[in-house]
């Protein structure tokens, strides 16, 4: 919904822990893509990864490639 989208744009999305891990709750079933954005701003994704979620499921996306060859878990 609009409020959730605006929260994501203003820093209300998932944040990584000290090890670079993150968790996203309440993801609807279906296919989508997750984007990694810079904490310092900007709308250009640093990395993206597609996913397919099943109802009630849990998935591990593994590492998401950032920029030119580095990766964030």
């Amino acid at each position: 919904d609009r409020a959730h989208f605006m929260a994501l744009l203003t820093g209300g999305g998932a944040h990584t822990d000290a090890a670079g891990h993150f968790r996203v709750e309440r993801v609807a079933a279906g296919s989508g893509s997750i984007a990694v954005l810079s904490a310092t701003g900007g709308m250009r994704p640093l990395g993206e990864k597609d996913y397919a979620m099943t109802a009630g499921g849990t998935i591990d996306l593994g590492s998401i490639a950032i920029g030119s060859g580095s990766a964030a878990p």
Side-chain angles (χ1 to χ4, degrees):
D1 66 31
R2 181 178 161 81
H4 182 69
F5 181 70
M6 291 307 295
L8 292 175
L9 292 179
T10 57
H15 294 263
T16 59
D17 64 15
H21 300 115
F22 64 92
R23 175 181 222 114
V24 179
E25 306 266 341
R26 300 182 319 231
V27 176
S31 297
S33 179
I34 190 163
V36 177
L37 302 175
S38 171
T40 59
M43 294 303 297
R44 183 172 170 213
L46 301 174
E48 296 181 80
K49 192 153 196 180
D50 294 333
Y51 66 86
M53 176 63 80
T54 58
T58 300
I59 56 174
D60 182 339
L61 296 176
S63 295
I64 299 175
I66 303 296
S68 58
S70 62

